[in-house]
């Protein structure tokens, strides 16, 4: 589970990313080109993955309390299911937002779980002062991700000595802020080898609240002075830090895959790589996440499995959602997902390329002070992304967005009010009315 990784990966077509290990995994497995999360933020997305449930507006309103809200964990979580079926379960790094959320589901929890503390220590001295005086944040000491991956690899060795089946979750924190990496990862890039910001001037015809108000690192002492008006030199350095962090995360993936091989477990172990949401690097004039834009909701998803040995290098265009991963993994392992799971196993897609699948994915975001007054519900339909913004108090529609990604892959021009797209808007609205349950029922009826 990789934090804040958008599809800026070589296997997904990025001309900039140095990601040989993820690319190699994709060459041996199935890469999903249209995988979407339900809310572009860490906690709700991870909760959704691990419970198979879709987050709600009310849960987002809980903020930090949501991280330890046990009622959301009622039912059987993904590690619960494996543990109940006599798999050894282990967690290393940031899996849930904080590991205590589901502590009894794990037989083994890594020793470096307090990520908020550890990441703060990367930036701050004991008296709370910043260690860094430059935006080029590099480190020559081991970082928490490296410690967690090393612990996971060591644990693989002990697992190889037993006949038990196992479920291991490893959370890699980079490229989440703060973008501190070893020098070797920083040196993979240069100022002219970085993603260019997509439509930095902002969208045309979109409501002002389509994008969040400010970037998420606005309070960092070295950036706060600029607000959202970052000088190009600062913006370049930040993009550099993000991409160096992507390559650092890729190296951690490589260590895990190498460890699996050396433990003699690779030949009969399924590997799933997923990110909790995407990220904007000045795209549409905004940094961070918390939007319905495809840059925020579309994520890498790669599955390599011995049962899919002939599928290596396959690119699958079927639309899948985060809640679908739980029932898919369960079915592939011969287990039954609990009734609380709200996703749909896409094993038929893995078994039969080109299977007619979901017409849309569903995600949402919120705006305004708590209690949130405005909700944006979004459908990604492959070619189109359709979003409806409603007043939560009255239910009135405040705005609509429609983007045609065949001619506008950057989602720069809102075409919801264009007469030539009236039929598309009508079709998208009918899918929204069907809801995720209706869409899944349609899939079941067709297959």
């Amino acid at each position: 589970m990789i934090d804040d990784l958008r599809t800026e990966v070589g296997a997904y077509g990025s001309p900039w990313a140095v990601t040989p290990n993820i690319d190699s995994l994709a060459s041996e497995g199935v890469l999903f080109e249209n995988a979407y999360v339900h809310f572009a933020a860490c906690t709700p997305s991870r909760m959704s993955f691990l419970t198979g449930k879709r987050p709600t507006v009310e849960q987002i309103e809980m903020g930090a309390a949501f991280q330890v809200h046990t009622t959301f964990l009622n039912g059987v979580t993904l590690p619960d299911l494996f543990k109940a079926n006599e798999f050894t379960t282990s967690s290393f790094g940031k899996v849930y937002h904080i590991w205590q959320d589901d502590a009894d589901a794990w037989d083994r929890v890594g020793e470096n779980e307090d990520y908020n503390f550890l990441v703060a220590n990367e930036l701050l001295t004991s008296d709370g002062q910043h260690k860094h005086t430059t935006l080029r944040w590099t480190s020559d000491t081991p970082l928490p991700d490296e410690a967690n991956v090393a612990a996971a690899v060591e644990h693989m060795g002990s697992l190889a000595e037993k006949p038990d089946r196992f479920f291991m979750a490893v959370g890699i924190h980079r490229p989440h802020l703060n973008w501190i990496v070893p020098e070797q990862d920083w040196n993979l890039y240069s100022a002219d080898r970085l993603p260019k910001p997509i439509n930095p001037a902002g969208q045309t015809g979109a409501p002002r609240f389509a994008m969040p108000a400010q970037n998420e690192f606005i309070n960092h002492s070295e950036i706060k002075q600029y607000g959202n008006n970052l000088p190009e030199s600062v913006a370049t350095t930040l993009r550099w830090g993000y991409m160096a962090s992507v390559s650092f995360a890729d190296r951690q993936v490589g260590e895990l895959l190498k460890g699996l091989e050396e433990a003699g477990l690779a030949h009969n172990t399924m590997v799933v790589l997923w990110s909790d949401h995407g990220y904007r690097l000045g795209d549409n004039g905004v940094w961070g996440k918390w939007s319905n834009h495809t840059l925020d909701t579309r994520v890498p998803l790669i599955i390599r499995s011995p049962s899919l040995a002939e599928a290596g290098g396959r690119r699958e265009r079927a639309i899948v959602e985060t809640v679908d991963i739980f029932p898919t993994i369960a079915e592939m392992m011969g287990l039954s997902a609990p009734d609380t799971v709200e996703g749909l196993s896409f094993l038929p897609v893995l078994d039969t390329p080109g299977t007619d699948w979901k017409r849309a994915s569903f995600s949402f975001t919120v705006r305004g002070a708590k209690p949130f007054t405005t909700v944006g519900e979004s459908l990604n339909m492959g070619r189109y992304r359709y979003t409806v913004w409603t007043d939560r108090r009255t239910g009135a529609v405040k705005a609509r967005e429609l983007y045609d990604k065949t001619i506008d892959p950057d989602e720069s021009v809102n075409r919801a009010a264009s007469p030539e797209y009236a039929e598309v808007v009508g079709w998208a609205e009918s899918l929204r009315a069907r809801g995720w349950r209706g869409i899944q029922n349609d899939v079941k009826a067709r297959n």
Side-chain angles (χ1 to χ4, degrees):
M1 302 171 73
I2 304 180
D3 213 331
D4 285 28
L5 177 64
R6 70 189 199 179
T7 54
E8 200 71 57
V9 175
Y12 277 87
S14 171
W16 324 106
V18 181
T19 52
N21 297 294
I22 298 176
D23 299 347
S24 176
L25 182 67
S27 73
E28 298 169 349
V30 179
L31 177 151
F32 285 84
E33 295 185 342
N34 290 295
Y36 297 94
V37 301
H38 306 289
F39 193 97
C42 301
T43 297
S45 190
R46 288 165 182 270
M47 287 288 202
S48 184
F49 178 101
L50 292 157
T51 64
K53 301 178 188 177
R54 297 167 190 266
T56 67
V57 175
E58 291 75 20
Q59 288 160 347
I60 305 302
E61 275 179 335
M62 294 177 68
F66 181 31
Q67 298 171 14
V68 292
H69 189 47
T70 55
T71 60
F72 190 63
L73 294 173
N74 283 350
V76 179
T77 66
L78 186 57
D80 280 337
L81 179 66
F82 281 105
K83 188 173 183 179
N85 284 276
E86 301 183 343
F87 283 68
T88 297
T89 59
S90 55
S91 169
F92 298 89
K94 183 179 175 182
V95 177
Y96 286 95
H97 201 287
I98 57 173
W99 71 269
Q100 292 95 332
D101 275 336
D102 200 14
D104 60 357
W106 308 105
D107 295 309
R108 163 78 188 275
V109 176
E111 297 175 357
N112 295 296
E113 291 302 312
D114 192 347
Y115 246 87
N116 292 332
F117 173 78
L118 285 166
V119 175
N121 276 358
E122 295 173 0
L123 278 182
L124 304 175
T125 60
S126 58
D127 59 356
Q129 299 301 308
H130 281 271
K131 292 179 181 177
H132 304 275
T133 57
T134 171
L135 285 171
R136 179 170 173 154
W137 300 326
T138 59
S139 174
D140 56 3
T141 59
L143 296 169
D145 277 332
E146 293 172 299
N148 283 314
V149 166
V153 169
E154 181 180 8
H155 188 51
M156 289 175 190
S158 65
L159 291 170
E161 297 172 0
K162 307 175 186 178
D164 300 344
R165 297 190 293 176
F166 72 92
F167 172 74
M168 177 185 288
V170 182
I172 298 171
H173 199 246
R174 294 291 178 272
H176 191 289
L177 290 168
N178 295 288
W179 296 325
I180 303 171
V181 295
E183 194 79 18
Q184 69 180 96
D185 299 302
W186 191 278
N187 291 339
L188 293 171
Y189 297 90
S190 60
D192 59 355
R193 184 174 180 167
L194 298 171
K196 306 299 187 290
I198 296 170
N199 190 27
Q203 296 169 299
T204 299
R208 57 178 174 74
F209 41 75
M211 290 292 158
Q214 63 182 14
N215 70 61
E216 67 178 317
F217 43 73
I218 193 70
N219 290 320
H220 194 283
S221 61
E222 298 179 63
I223 301 170
K224 187 174 183 178
Q225 60 182 309
Y226 303 116
N228 272 329
N229 299 311
L230 297 178
E232 185 53 37
S233 60
V234 173
T236 295
T237 302
L238 292 172
R239 291 188 190 96
W240 198 326
Y242 179 86
M243 293 308 300
S245 296
V246 168
S247 291
F248 170 77
D250 178 80
R251 282 202 299 112
Q252 307 318 304
V253 171
E255 290 298 313
L256 290 168
L257 296 175
K258 178 183 175 184
L260 202 63
E261 192 74 44
E262 292 181 347
L265 297 168
H267 71 286
N268 63 348
T269 301
M270 179 166 65
V271 177
V272 179
L273 182 144
W274 169 82
S275 170
D276 55 3
H277 49 75
Y279 207 84
R280 274 167 293 102
L281 301 170
D283 308 292
N284 303 113
V286 182
W287 294 72
K289 51 228 185 194
W290 278 74
S291 88
N292 283 316
H293 197 290
T294 298
L295 272 175
D296 285 6
T297 60
R298 180 180 176 230
V299 294
L301 173 62
I302 300 169
I303 297 179
R304 185 185 79 183
S305 173
S307 63
L308 302 169
E310 298 179 0
R314 188 174 125 207
R315 306 181 73 89
E316 179 55 60
R317 295 190 57 81
I319 294 173
V320 298
E321 303 176 274
T322 293
V323 288
D324 300 331
I325 302 173
F326 184 154
T328 303
I329 294 174
E331 187 175 8
M332 292 180 76
M333 292 291 103
L335 307 178
S336 297
D339 293 339
T340 52
V341 166
E342 296 175 339
L344 184 66
S345 169
F346 52 79
L347 184 56
V349 173
L350 288 168
D351 285 342
T352 308
T355 297
D356 192 5
W357 209 241
K358 291 185 179 183
R359 296 285 187 259
S361 68
F362 288 76
S363 59
F364 74 95
T365 195
V366 290
R367 295 289 182 262
K370 299 176 185 178
F372 298 119
T373 56
T374 303
V375 177
E377 182 185 19
S378 193
L379 284 73
N380 249 301
M381 304 170 290
R383 174 175 175 176
Y384 302 103
R385 196 256 291 179
Y386 177 64
T387 301
V388 177
W389 294 90
T390 57
D391 187 308
R392 193 172 167 211
R393 298 159 296 189
T394 66
V397 174
K398 300 176 72 171
R400 301 179 194 271
E401 297 176 80
L402 179 74
Y403 301 94
D404 184 346
K405 290 185 272 188
T406 57
I407 60 175
D408 180 21
D410 301 337
E411 298 181 14
S412 299
V413 180
N414 179 16
R415 302 174 195 274
S418 301
E420 62 267 35
Y421 284 89
E423 186 174 338
V424 176
V425 170
W427 171 64
E429 188 60 38
S430 70
L431 292 179
R432 187 171 82 97
R434 293 280 292 154
W436 63 265
R437 287 185 178 86
I439 296 296
Q440 291 187 173
N441 287 336
D442 292 344
V443 172
K444 294 174 184 177
R446 291 194 303 271
N447 294 281

